């Protein structure tokens, strides 16, 4: 077994439509840190889903729903940290407004 620490989702701007940010391809992944920051001038929300292989983002895999971030606020997402993605599992996000929330996720891949 090999464990590799890595950035699972490099810093990105979360879209206002559902987007897959990371997929555990032929590995398992452990989420160690997930940080979101609202860099806009108004409050915005973000939702994070952790679907399994062969499924899509839906209410049954929603782990952080419509978290409101005030302008300039950073949040470390304890709802997401510690989750394990089996091979084919993925991280999907959606924000209330485009170009308002930045996301970065770090973790470990296990092969």
């Amino acid at each position: 077994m090999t464990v590799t620490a890595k950035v699972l989702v490099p810093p990105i701007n979360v879209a206002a439509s559902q987007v897959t940010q990371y997929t555990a391809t032929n590995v398992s992944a452990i989420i160690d840190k997930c940080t979101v920051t609202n860099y806009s001038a108004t409050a915005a929300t973000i939702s994070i889903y952790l679907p399994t292989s062969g499924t899509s983002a839906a209410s049954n895999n929603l782990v952080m729903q419509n978290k409101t971030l005030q302008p300039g606020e950073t949040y470390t997402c304890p709802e997401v940290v510690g989750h394990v993605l089996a091979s084919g599992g993925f991280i999907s996000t959606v924000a209330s407004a485009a170009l308002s929330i930045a996301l970065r996720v770090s973790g470990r891949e296990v092969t």
Side-chain angles (χ1 to χ4, degrees):
M1 175 173 40
T2 302
V3 178
T4 306
K6 68 180 294 185
V7 175
L8 303 178
V9 180
I12 54 97
N13 295 321
V14 179
S17 58
Q18 197 73 248
V19 175
T20 297
Q21 304 296 354
Y22 167 82
T23 301
T25 305
N26 298 319
V27 297
S28 293
I30 302 163
I31 300 170
D32 292 324
K33 188 78 167 186
C34 176
T35 305
V36 292
T37 301
N38 180 353
Y39 60 88
S40 73
T42 60
T45 65
I46 180 170
S47 294
I48 300 177
Y49 301 76
L50 300 178
T52 57
S53 179
T55 66
S56 59
S59 60
N60 66 338
N61 51 50
L62 177 63
V63 295
M64 192 172 89
Q65 182 177 19
N66 294 324
K67 171 63 180 166
T68 300
L69 299 172
Q70 297 303 316
E73 181 180 2
T74 297
Y75 185 70
T76 56
C77 310
E79 303 89 338
V80 178
V81 172
H83 278 281
V84 175
L85 301 173
S87 183
F90 57 101
I91 300 169
S92 183
T93 61
V94 62
S96 60
L99 301 176
S100 60
I101 296 179
L103 167 76
R104 186 178 195 277
V105 181
S106 297
R108 293 167 280 161
E109 289 184 336
V110 181
T111 56

